[in-house]
Amino acid sequence: NAGVTQTPKFQVLKTGQSMTLQCAQDMNHNSMYWYRQDPGMGLRLIYYSASEGTTDKGEVPNGYNVSRLNKREFSLRLESAAPSQTSVYFCASSATGTVLFAFGSGTRLTVV
Amino acid sequence: GENVEQHPSTLSVQEGDSAVIKCTYSDSASNYFPWYKQELGKGPQLIIDIRSNVGEKKDQRIAVTLNKTAKHFSLHITETQPEDSAVYFCAASNNNDMRFGAGTRLTVKP
């Protein structure tokens, strides 16, 4: 089992460009999450999907959109990247009724 | 919503010494408190967790304590080794709402 797989691992964008971060899990988890990690601020929830077909905003959703494509895949889209979105992004998943998260290895995004 | 504070932000210990990291939380409804270890270039990995109906849990050199009245919980690592060097995050959760502390960078000097 690969667990939670994120692509790409690194990305540099120019201000205003768009991109989609991909996440897939093979653990048959119902819930999936996108976090951003900034120095001194820990992990902050951007969006989550409690089950296939549903998505909800987290703490810091502005500037992002998500798609729960199917049970395995949950993508995060930046429509018009801004330097404030420079961060490390983590995808996570968990089984229904638990908060036992499995994290991906992260995507380091730099917006210049 | 929940607010989790974590201290210290950096911690340096000599190999073999103990390390303690403390967290406080604000939401009395939080009932699950995991600790994650993040090594360089990797995602956080769960190392130990505790639920609100338990006061202490141990797993080899790692232990976690929870004081629900005071709303704080701590991670204790004994007999530290260089491979314990990493960033550690605490978190507090009420069902699907998980909030993380800002992290502690632990350095274990050989």
Side-chain angles (χ1 to χ4, degrees):
Chain A
N1 284 348
V4 180
T5 303
Q6 288 183 238
T7 56
K9 291 192 182 303
F10 301 95
Q11 184 72 47
V12 178
L13 288 179
K14 293 183 179 178
T15 298
Q17 285 185 318
S18 62
M19 79 160 294
T20 300
L21 281 64
Q22 307 285 354
C23 175
Q25 52 91 9
D26 62 4
M27 295 170 287
N28 203 34
H29 285 167
N30 282 318
S31 301
M32 296 185 74
Y33 311 80
W34 276 105
Y35 284 89
R36 60 177 289 172
Q37 183 178 40
D38 301 294
M41 301 189 75
L43 291 147
R44 292 182 293 167
L45 183 64
I46 304 171
Y47 271 93
Y48 68 99
S49 170
S51 62
E52 188 178 352
T54 69
T55 61
D56 286 288
K57 295 179 180 179
E59 271 183 275
V60 288
N62 291 346
Y64 305 95
N65 285 302
V66 290
S67 295
R68 184 71 182 268
L69 303 169
N70 47 56
K71 190 171 184 179
R72 290 186 65 247
E73 298 172 288
F74 189 37
S75 63
L76 178 72
R77 182 159 179 85
L78 288 71
E79 289 292 350
S80 179
S84 61
Q85 293 177 304
T86 293
S87 188
V88 181
Y89 291 85
F90 286 99
C91 178
S93 68
S94 68
T96 301
T98 80
V99 284
L100 296 173
F101 282 17
F103 282 91
S105 57
T107 296
R108 184 173 293 275
L109 176 67
T110 303
V111 183
V112 298
Chain B
E2 175 67 273
N3 182 47
V4 178
E5 295 193 358
Q6 183 172 346
H7 299 280
S9 57
T10 61
L11 179 59
S12 182
V13 299
Q14 208 65 38
E15 183 177 359
D17 287 350
S18 295
V20 180
I21 303 170
K22 299 182 179 181
C23 289
T24 61
Y25 62 99
S26 61
D27 186 354
S28 56
S30 289
N31 55 20
Y32 174 68
F33 306 91
W35 286 88
Y36 289 86
K37 176 183 181 182
Q38 186 178 23
E39 296 175 327
L40 196 62
K42 297 183 179 180
Q45 284 201 304
L46 180 70
I47 55 171
I48 195 167
D49 56 11
I50 192 167
R51 296 194 179 272
S52 57
N53 58 348
V54 175
E56 183 175 359
K57 185 176 179 180
K58 284 185 84 170
D59 182 4
Q60 298 182 357
R61 296 186 297 108
I62 295 173
V64 58
T65 59
L66 171 65
N67 183 327
K68 281 194 67 180
T69 303
K71 295 203 201 71
H72 66 71
F73 56 113
S74 301
L75 177 72
H76 305 252
I77 306 174
T78 58
E79 300 171 25
T80 53
Q81 300 166 3
E83 51 265 38
D84 294 329
S85 296
V87 179
Y88 292 81
F89 292 96
C90 64
S93 172
N94 178 10
N95 298 322
N96 276 328
D97 186 13
M98 175 98 84
R99 298 296 173 104
F100 289 82
T104 296
R105 182 174 298 280
L106 173 65
T107 303
V108 180
K109 298 177 184 175

